[in-house]
Amino acid sequence: DAKTTQPNSMESNEEEPVHLPCNHSTISGTDYIHWYRQLPSQGPEYVIHGLTSNVNNRMASLAIAEDRKSSTLILHRATLRDAAVYYCIPKSNAGGTSYGKLTFGQGTILTVHP
Amino acid sequence: DTAVSQTPKYLVTQMGNDKSIKCEQNLGHDTMYWYKQDSKKFLKIMFSYNNKELIINETVPNRFSPKSPDKAHLNLHINSLELGDSAVYFCASSLGATGGSAEAFFGQGTRLTVV
C-alpha cells in the first residue's frame, strides 16, 4: 500500500477556498487517487478520485501533480458542513488481496469557521 | 432509501457474549466490506467479499466471522466478545469490476461497546 502524508489539521473560513494537500510519493503507476471525508459521527463519504488528469465534480476539484507524487483536494467555497476529516487514499487497480481495498491514513481534520 | 444500511446502530453487550451486526446494500454492488474504527479514530479494513466469496481477511481474530448470504448482504458475527472489540464497525460496498476507480459507499456505522 502506498504511504500518504497529510497535514494533521487545517482551518478555513466559511465561503473561502480550501486546498488540502497530500503526498503519496510511493504511489504505483496504476493506483487511482481517491479522497474520502468523514463528517462527525458518520461513515466515510466518497469525495472524488482521479488517475492522472485533474478532475472536477459537484463537491470538489482534484489537482494531481504531473509526477503523481502529490495531489490537492480543492473545496471552492467551504461551508460549515465541510468540517470533517479528509482522507487521501491511493487505491490499487489490482485484483487479489488488494481488491477494492481502501487503506485509510490519519487524514486532515478540517475546521471551518463561520 | 439508504444505500448501505447497518443494524443495529448501537450495541452494548457484556464480555463473552456473541453478537451479530447486519448490513444490506441496495446499490446492486458485487463487493462488500467491513471496516473497524478504533477509539483513536483509525479506520482499517477487516474483510471484503466479492460475489459472496471472501477476498480480503486482514488478520482478524477468528472470533470474527463474516457471512454473505447473497450479494446484497454481509453480516458480521463476533464470538466471545472482548473489551478490545469496542469500536465503530462500518459496512461498505462498491462495484468491484471497475477496479481502482470504484467508489465505495459506507453505512452509518455500528457503535459496539463491550462492558
Side-chain angles (χ1 to χ4, degrees):
Chain A
D1 297 339
K3 182 173 165 50
T4 58
T5 303
Q6 298 179 251
N8 287 335
S9 62
M10 292 185 66
E11 297 187 18
S12 172
N13 293 319
E14 207 174 3
E15 298 191 7
E16 289 185 355
V18 183
H19 290 232
L20 296 160
C22 179
N23 285 321
H24 32 76
S25 58
T26 60
I27 192 169
S28 159
T30 56
D31 285 353
Y32 283 77
I33 299 158
H34 282 244
W35 284 80
Y36 282 75
R37 71 181 184 181
Q38 187 173 21
L39 278 65
S41 301
Q42 294 194 26
E45 175 187 31
Y46 167 81
V47 178
I48 199 166
H49 76 274
L51 185 60
T52 54
S53 305
N54 295 344
V55 184
N56 300 299
N57 67 19
R58 64 174 180 80
M59 288 181 73
S61 294
L62 176 60
I64 301 173
E66 200 169 325
D67 64 5
R68 292 192 0 107
K69 292 184 177 182
S70 65
S71 61
T72 302
L73 179 71
I74 303 164
L75 306 179
H76 295 285
R77 291 180 70 212
T79 68
L80 296 178
R81 198 198 171 274
D82 291 321
V85 181
Y86 286 79
Y87 299 96
C88 154
I89 305 172
K91 185 163 183 267
S92 174
N93 201 34
T97 57
S98 296
Y99 196 86
K101 177 180 171 182
L102 291 170
T103 301
F104 289 83
Q106 66 177 27
T108 296
I109 301 170
L110 176 65
T111 302
V112 181
H113 299 290
Chain B
D1 271 351
T2 304
V4 181
S5 58
Q6 299 176 225
T7 53
K9 190 171 180 181
Y10 299 97
L11 185 53
V12 181
T13 188
Q14 291 188 327
M15 281 175 56
N17 284 350
D18 303 339
K19 289 293 178 186
S20 292
I21 307 171
K22 295 186 176 182
C23 179
E24 175 182 6
Q25 54 94 5
N26 63 6
L27 297 166
H29 289 164
D30 58 358
T31 308
M32 296 185 72
Y33 314 82
W34 279 109
Y35 284 81
K36 178 181 179 180
Q37 188 164 39
D38 61 24
S39 57
K40 295 182 179 176
K41 304 293 187 183
F42 182 59
L43 260 165
K44 185 171 166 57
I45 192 166
M46 299 173 70
F47 301 104
S48 80
Y49 269 75
N50 174 256
N51 285 318
K52 302 193 297 175
E53 182 185 344
L54 179 66
I55 301 296
I56 295 174
N57 181 342
E58 288 278 310
T59 59
V60 177
N62 58 16
R63 297 183 295 104
F64 290 78
S65 53
K67 283 190 173 50
S68 181
D70 55 57
K71 285 196 304 184
H73 296 84
L74 180 62
N75 304 323
L76 183 65
H77 189 76
I78 315 170
N79 289 328
S80 304
L81 277 154
E82 300 177 357
L83 292 177
D85 298 331
S86 296
V88 182
Y89 293 84
F90 290 100
C91 177
S93 73
S94 69
L95 197 56
T98 49
S101 65
E103 61 182 269
F105 291 78
F106 284 78
Q108 290 298 296
T110 296
R111 181 174 294 276
L112 171 65
T113 304
V114 182
V115 297

